[in-house]
């Protein structure tokens, strides 16, 4: 069957994700939550596709099935519980463990099984499974953004499915005989070049769509464990269970050397200067987006209390009154440009004093769409190997500034970012004015500014220094 979406030769993983997300949105092929960008799409026809799981001989003969927690795979979780098989669901973002075993109440009816298959079931009807548990998983079901008939799979870019499988391999829960299935819309089956598939990427044996079952006969080996050089200490801090696994493998004499960390470009706050949250409250759209996150992002580990809304940001400063006065006094004197840095831990924003970096060369990005998140931009930069030393985000003004260590690094990033398109919008990529003489020839990839955007001066550096609007600085 000819793919519905044509993939250009040389397309990166991010290019393919973007093309699939755009196609699903343009053709209105998705259910809630929308938009599907940066999600495993909850496609129309997911129930029909999931129902095909029951006819697989590998499913019929399985006893323990691990299924990802995303909404388009909910029917697969219901089918597994109705077949009286053991259902394992990964802990969302691996925050407190690897996965949970769903245990329905005795004599549960269909409605109760439906609840057990949802994020509510993870909280109320599950028990955690640790790394030391003796578990044998017979079948693994994962979501995908795109997959090829050869079995090459692309997720949403965060790598959790690959990590989950690698951790299961490390604990002996899966091996070369374990069957991996993905459930997608027909349009998500595309041509994916083998060249962009890496050693840590999970491949699949079966693809289930609303119209067909595809056996891939994929010969590429699946991950045999965690590839530690692909991780750094920052990833370990976000996923504590990885620390435990690293310690266990280190005791076993395995090589657990981590990959290099990005260079630190800004000193941490002094110990006597506590972090302070922004006074801005989350916008209504951000609050709605949080409520509409997929099951993987919404679910809460067993035993934790849930909050249906983001925590309110308190208006008063977390620091002492004297510190707040001093900060306002510094701002009043124009002493230092105060910038915001996003905080994953608090859900708020942290203020830090900006430090100028000698030799830094800046690239300007304009035409950023209103709904774009800074995390989406960072993912795109990583995909194009154009990660900056520092990212200054001015989303309200539809622009961002990327600082690089030297002229050569900035020019390389400038070339890599030509033609960058996010959420259907082509971004304007320019060198800052003081570096434009060294700009390599080529089209400037300009696009009309969004209607809501304020005017962006052509002198990117002047705009960056004079703007009074809050900024997010990411390292």
């Amino acid at each position: 069957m000819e793919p519905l979406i044509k993939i250009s030769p040389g397309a990166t993983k991010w290019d393919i994700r973007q093309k699939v997300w755009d196609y699903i949105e343009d053709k209105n092929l998705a259910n809630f939550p929308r938009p599907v960008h940066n999600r495993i799409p909850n496609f129309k026809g997911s129930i029909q596709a999931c129902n095909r799981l029951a006819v697989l001989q590998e499913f019929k003969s399985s006893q323990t099935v691990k299924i990802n927690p995303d909404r388009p795979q909910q029917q697969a979780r219901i089918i597994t519980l109705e077949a009286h098989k053991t259902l394992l669901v990964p802990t969302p973002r691996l925050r407190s463990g690897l996965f949970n075993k769903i245990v329905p109440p005795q004599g549960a009816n269909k409605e109760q099984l439906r609840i057990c298959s949802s994020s509510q079931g993870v909280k109320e009807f599950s028990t955690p499974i640790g790394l030391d548990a003796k578990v044998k998983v017979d079948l693994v079901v994962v979501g995908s953004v795109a997959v090829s008939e050869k079995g090459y799979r692309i997720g949403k870019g965060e790598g959790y499915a690959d990590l989950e499988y690698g951790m299961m391999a490390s604990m002996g829960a899966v091996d070369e005989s374990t069957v991996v299935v993905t459930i997608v819309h027909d349009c998500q089956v595309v041509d994916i070049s083998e060249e962009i598939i890496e050693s840590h990427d999970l491949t699949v044996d079966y693809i289930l769509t609303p119209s067909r079952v595809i056996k891939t006969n994929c010969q590429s080996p699946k991950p045999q464990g965690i590839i530690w050089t692909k991780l750094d200490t920052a990833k370990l801090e976000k996923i504590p269970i990885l620390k435990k696994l690293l310690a266990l493998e280190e005791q076993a004499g395995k090589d657990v050397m981590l990959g290099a960390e990005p260079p630190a470009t800004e000193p941490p706050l002094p110990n006597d200067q506590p972090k302070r949250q922004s006074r801005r409250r989350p916008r209504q759209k951000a609050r709605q987006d949080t409520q509409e996150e997929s099951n993987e992002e919404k679910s809460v580990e067993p035993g934790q209390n849930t909050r249906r809304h983001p925590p309110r940001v308190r208006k008063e400063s977390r620091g002492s009154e004297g510190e707040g006065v001093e900060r306002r006094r510094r701002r009043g004197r124009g002493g230092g440009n105060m910038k915001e840095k996003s905080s994953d831990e608090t859900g708020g924003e942290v203020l830090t004093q900006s430090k100028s970096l000698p030799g830094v060369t800046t690239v300007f990005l304009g035409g950023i769409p209103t709904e774009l998140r800074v995390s989406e931009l960072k993912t795109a930069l990583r995909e194009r190997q154009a990660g900056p030393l520092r990212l200054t985000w001015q989303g309200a003004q539809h622009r961002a500034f990327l600082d690089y260590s030297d002229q050569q690094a900035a020019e390389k990033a400038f070339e890599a970012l030509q033609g960058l398109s996010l959420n259907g919008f082509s971004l304007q990529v320019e060198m800052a004015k003081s570096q434009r003489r060294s700009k390599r020839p080529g089209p400037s990839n300009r696009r009309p500014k969004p209607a809501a955007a304020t005017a962006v001066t052509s002198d990117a550096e002047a705009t960056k220094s004079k703007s009074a609007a809050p900024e997010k600085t990411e390292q």
Side-chain angles (χ1 to χ4, degrees):
M1 180 176 175
E2 193 72 17
L4 296 174
I5 301 176
K6 303 297 183 183
I7 303 299
S8 303
T12 65
K13 290 180 181 177
W14 180 258
D15 294 333
I16 296 173
R17 290 186 190 105
Q18 197 67 41
K19 200 150 192 177
V20 171
W21 284 327
D22 290 345
Y23 185 93
I24 291 175
E25 282 295 331
D26 292 343
K27 301 296 184 181
N28 193 28
L29 298 176
N31 293 316
F32 173 89
R34 302 277 294 272
V36 298
H37 294 82
N38 299 290
R39 305 180 192 272
I40 299 297
N42 185 24
F43 60 92
K44 294 179 179 179
S46 62
I47 292 179
Q48 294 92 317
C50 288
N51 285 337
R52 295 183 181 279
L53 183 66
V55 305
L56 289 183
Q57 182 58 43
E58 287 82 354
F59 175 80
K60 294 178 181 179
S61 61
S62 66
Q63 296 181 351
T64 301
V65 182
K66 176 258 179 188
I67 305 179
N68 73 302
D70 292 310
R71 186 166 300 186
Q73 280 73 52
Q74 182 170 1
Q75 179 67 11
R77 297 191 292 272
I78 294 175
I79 290 172
T80 301
L81 293 175
E82 288 179 338
H84 305 290
K85 300 180 185 295
T86 299
L87 172 61
L88 303 179
V89 179
T91 300
R93 296 185 177 273
L94 301 176
R95 286 188 291 261
S96 64
L98 181 50
F99 39 55
N100 298 295
K101 177 182 177 181
I102 308 300
V103 183
Q106 190 72 25
N109 56 33
K110 287 190 175 182
E111 177 60 22
Q112 289 174 316
L113 292 181
R114 187 193 66 79
I115 294 174
C116 289
S117 69
S118 68
S119 58
Q120 187 72 17
V122 176
K123 292 179 285 185
E124 297 183 6
F125 303 103
S126 69
T127 57
I129 303 295
L131 289 173
D132 53 351
K134 301 300 181 184
V135 177
K136 180 65 171 69
V137 177
D138 304 304
L139 188 72
V140 174
V141 179
V142 296
S144 302
V145 173
V147 64
S148 77
E149 292 192 11
K150 295 181 179 180
Y152 304 136
R153 170 192 173 273
I154 295 177
K156 60 184 178 182
E158 296 181 329
Y160 285 103
D162 304 322
L163 276 176
E164 290 162 8
Y165 193 91
M167 294 173 73
M168 288 191 293
S170 295
M171 62 186 289
V174 295
D175 54 33
E176 61 277 0
S177 66
T178 305
V179 175
V180 179
V181 177
T182 192
I183 302 174
V184 296
H185 191 276
D186 287 283
C187 74
Q188 293 174 261
V189 183
V190 300
D191 291 329
I192 299 176
S193 172
E194 184 177 0
E195 282 69 29
I196 65 173
I197 301 300
E198 302 177 74
S199 57
H200 65 276
D201 289 328
L202 179 62
T203 56
V204 303
D205 302 296
Y206 284 94
I207 304 169
L208 309 184
T209 78
S211 67
R212 55 182 176 151
V213 174
I214 304 170
K215 187 173 183 179
T216 67
N217 296 310
C218 184
Q219 300 300 313
S220 297
K222 297 179 177 65
Q224 299 301 304
I226 296 295
I227 303 175
W228 295 105
T229 54
K230 297 287 185 180
L231 306 176
D232 55 32
T233 54
K235 194 74 170 179
L236 263 63
E237 292 299 325
K238 291 181 180 179
I239 308 176
I241 193 173
L242 278 176
K243 288 184 179 180
K244 182 176 180 181
L245 180 60
L246 183 143
L248 291 174
E249 296 207 346
E250 189 174 26
Q251 290 175 7
K254 296 183 180 180
D255 182 5
V256 294
M257 180 176 293
L258 298 175
E261 296 183 55
T265 59
E266 193 167 326
L269 288 172
N271 292 332
D272 60 348
Q273 185 178 358
K275 296 180 179 180
R276 191 180 78 175
Q277 288 188 325
S278 167
R279 296 187 178 189
R280 295 186 304 167
R281 291 189 178 184
R283 294 180 299 172
Q284 180 65 28
K285 185 178 185 305
R287 191 176 297 121
Q288 179 181 353
D289 285 346
T290 302
Q291 294 174 357
E292 294 181 359
E293 289 296 334
S294 65
N295 287 340
E296 177 184 352
E297 300 175 19
K298 286 176 61 179
S299 303
V300 181
E301 294 77 12
Q304 289 188 344
N305 293 326
T306 60
R307 299 187 64 161
R308 299 191 62 84
H309 298 282
R312 292 179 179 267
V313 179
R314 299 186 62 183
K315 288 192 174 183
E316 62 269 18
S317 168
R318 289 192 173 188
S320 66
E321 182 179 356
E323 290 169 344
V325 171
E326 179 60 24
R327 287 193 183 107
R328 289 192 294 272
R329 187 181 301 126
R330 287 201 301 268
R331 287 201 296 270
R333 292 199 301 261
N337 179 26
M338 301 301 291
K339 298 184 178 181
E340 298 172 4
K341 182 177 180 182
S342 67
S343 171
D344 293 333
E345 299 299 323
T346 63
E349 293 166 344
V350 179
L351 296 179
T352 62
Q353 182 100 18
S354 174
K355 302 288 185 181
S356 60
L357 300 175
V360 161
T361 305
T362 303
V363 174
F364 167 78
L365 295 182
I368 293 177
T370 303
E371 68 276 10
L372 187 73
R373 304 173 187 172
V374 66
S375 60
E376 299 173 42
L377 176 59
K378 290 167 65 178
T379 300
L381 295 176
R382 286 194 297 268
E383 288 282 353
R384 292 178 176 247
Q385 298 182 344
L389 289 175
R390 182 171 59 189
L391 187 158
T392 301
W393 175 261
Q394 294 181 345
Q397 284 72 43
H398 309 280
R399 62 189 178 225
F401 300 87
L402 313 178
D403 293 338
Y404 295 90
S405 58
D406 53 36
Q407 182 80 23
Q408 184 178 2
E411 290 184 351
K412 182 179 179 181
F414 173 82
E415 294 293 342
L417 295 176
Q418 294 303 309
L420 178 61
S421 176
L422 297 176
N423 289 5
F425 290 82
S426 295
L427 270 59
Q428 172 188 349
V429 183
E430 294 182 1
M431 300 293 288
K433 183 175 180 181
S434 60
Q435 288 96 33
R436 286 180 189 167
R437 293 180 181 178
S438 303
K439 175 179 170 182
R440 297 181 181 179
S444 63
N445 191 25
R446 291 178 178 269
R447 60 161 278 106
K449 303 178 183 66
T454 57
V456 179
T457 177
S458 61
D459 185 345
E461 283 191 330
T463 304
K464 181 178 177 183
S465 61
K466 293 179 181 179
S467 173
E471 305 168 342
K472 281 188 180 180
T473 300
E474 298 282 348
Q475 297 181 19

